Amino acid sequence: APPPAAARLPASRAAPQQIRIDATGRLGSVLQKRQRGWWSVELDGNAGPDGAANQQVSLRSTQITLLDAAGAEMPVSTMPVSKGKKKPAPAPAAAPAAKKPRGR
């Protein structure tokens, strides 16, 4: 049997990871897994207490459950952390010149 359509697509074109918000049961798609347990998610097409239809929201990993293609739950640890752009470190400040002791 040929592989499913999502498996044939490049990673950038594969179907987005689906999630369920635990408190309300609302569905959404992962846009990005961020650091420190935050996820950027696009909500489904239904408006509700979580936000408007197709709204992009940030959620904690403790608020969501990942779903596989069949809708079964899967562990959150299966999603890699995206490599965001880091700000360059500031240049170290020049050390102040040492003062010479005054002689009296």
Side-chain angles (χ1 to χ4, degrees):
R8 289 179 288 185
L9 294 174
S12 62
R13 302 249 348 243
Q17 174 65 53
Q18 296 296 304
I19 60 102
R20 180 181 63 237
I21 300 174
D22 296 332
T24 61
R26 186 157 180 198
L27 300 176
S29 301
V30 173
L31 298 173
Q32 181 181 29
K33 180 179 178 185
R34 298 186 176 166
Q35 295 179 349
R36 296 186 178 107
W38 285 98
W39 295 64
S40 180
V41 173
E42 182 176 345
L43 299 175
D44 62 12
N46 303 315
D50 301 312
N54 302 315
Q55 181 179 356
Q56 294 180 9
V57 296
S58 293
L59 297 169
R60 298 288 297 182
S61 59
T62 56
Q63 298 174 302
I64 63 173
T65 301
L66 294 179
L67 304 174
D68 63 11
E73 295 181 6
M74 54 190 283
V76 172
S77 61
T78 59
M79 287 286 294
V81 175
S82 62
K83 303 293 182 188
K85 293 181 180 178
K86 291 188 177 184
K87 295 180 182 177
K99 293 184 179 182
K100 294 182 181 179
R102 293 186 194 189
R104 287 195 170 186

